[in-house]
Amino acid sequence: GDSVTQMEGPVTLSEEAFLTINCTYTATGYPSLFWYVQYPGEGLQLLLKATKADDKGSNKGFEATYRKETTSFHLEKGSVQVSDSAVYFCALTDSGAGSYQLTFGKGTKLSVIP
Amino acid sequence: DVKVTQSSRYLVKRTGEKVFLECVQDMDHENMFWYRQDPGLGLRLIYFSYDVKMKEKGDIPEGYSVSREKKERFSLILESASTNQTSMYLCASKSETGFLNTEAFFGQGTRLTVV
């Protein structure tokens, strides 16, 4: 079946530091890839997405590029802020197994300190 | 503003009680999901539904059942609550149209404590 593997956290960074959260996937079909963010006390919300190879998703200064050759979708931000403290989930949707699948990684908790 | 609404933010129930968690979406989505979220384990799919009265087991259905009598409402039922079902429960919905490329919308979660 499909799976998503994220780097384990928690990750603690100082404000204005560079952020990378690694994400790799396995899929039977040709998936679309997503990053969701969960702020404290809230549900998940979409941060960005990419639907085909070499697409770059971007939002709020975050970026991720769909790399089919390395089956990866790493999340990056050049300068993090305290308000970016949250849990980040990499996810995919796929139809390769004959039915639609929605699969999440385990999440990476980011804490940004002033 | 699109919405997925879960009926309770916090619940405390006793062991053995029958517990109902309700989720309502206003986007006319065909697909609805129930996940539980636990530290170190991420989101695990309990059940999903792709149409009214249709349901499919997810990865951890044991001890749970679901009901979808109307398109907008998806209920999760704990038949006899146990302490190992203490968790955060998240409901989500997703359109069937463009399923692969469109986002899932989540409720704010219900933090259930079973004592």
Side-chain angles (χ1 to χ4, degrees):
Chain A
D2 294 356
S3 67
V4 176
T5 303
Q6 290 180 234
M7 64 184 284
E8 293 195 13
V11 175
T12 302
L13 294 174
S14 297
E15 208 165 19
E16 300 183 2
F18 184 85
L19 169 71
T20 299
I21 301 177
N22 290 336
C23 171
T24 57
Y25 67 89
T26 59
T28 51
Y30 196 142
S32 294
L33 303 173
F34 303 80
W35 277 100
Y36 287 83
V37 60
Q38 184 182 33
Y39 297 106
E42 298 183 12
L44 279 69
Q45 57 186 273
L46 180 69
L47 179 60
L48 54 83
K49 69 179 182 182
T51 59
K52 60 182 188 294
D54 300 325
D55 268 2
K56 178 186 282 188
S58 61
N59 186 25
K60 300 181 181 180
F62 290 89
E63 294 183 338
T65 301
Y66 188 143
R67 300 288 187 199
K68 194 166 187 287
E69 64 275 13
T70 55
T71 61
S72 65
F73 193 54
H74 304 321
L75 183 68
E76 296 182 337
K77 187 175 186 183
S79 176
V80 294
Q81 305 300 313
V82 172
S83 57
D84 294 326
S85 298
V87 181
Y88 293 82
F89 292 90
C90 186
L92 66 82
T93 55
D94 188 21
S95 62
S99 65
Y100 291 136
Q101 303 293 321
L102 172 58
T103 306
F104 288 86
K106 291 187 177 181
T108 302
K109 184 175 182 179
L110 170 67
S111 297
V112 180
I113 54 177
Chain B
D1 202 16
V2 296
K3 265 193 182 168
V4 178
T5 304
Q6 294 182 232
S7 53
S8 304
R9 291 294 302 273
Y10 301 95
L11 275 179
V12 180
K13 296 293 182 179
R14 295 197 179 276
T15 301
E17 275 193 78
K18 190 169 186 176
V19 181
F20 293 85
L21 303 183
E22 306 286 347
C23 176
V24 176
Q25 51 97 1
D26 65 359
M27 294 164 283
D28 201 35
H29 285 169
E30 295 82 2
N31 300 285
M32 296 187 74
F33 306 81
W34 275 107
Y35 294 90
R36 64 177 281 177
Q37 181 180 13
D38 300 288
L41 298 176
L43 271 67
R44 293 181 292 168
L45 181 64
I46 305 171
Y47 268 97
F48 70 96
S49 169
Y50 52 90
D51 202 351
V52 175
K53 297 191 186 294
M54 306 304 290
K55 60 186 179 184
E56 292 284 341
K57 292 180 180 179
D59 300 319
I60 52 163
E62 296 79 17
Y64 302 95
S65 62
V66 290
S67 172
R68 187 138 180 233
E69 296 297 318
K70 293 185 178 182
K71 191 176 185 179
E72 67 270 20
R73 185 179 297 271
F74 191 35
S75 303
L76 180 69
I77 304 156
L78 286 66
E79 297 290 343
S80 177
S82 64
T83 54
N84 63 13
Q85 292 178 308
T86 292
S87 186
M88 170 71 88
Y89 290 87
L90 292 168
C91 175
S93 74
K94 201 175 196 302
S95 174
E96 182 70 13
T97 303
F99 183 95
L100 287 179
N101 301 328
T102 57
E103 67 184 284
F105 292 87
F106 283 82
Q108 288 192 296
T110 297
R111 185 164 293 283
L112 173 67
T113 302
V114 183
V115 298

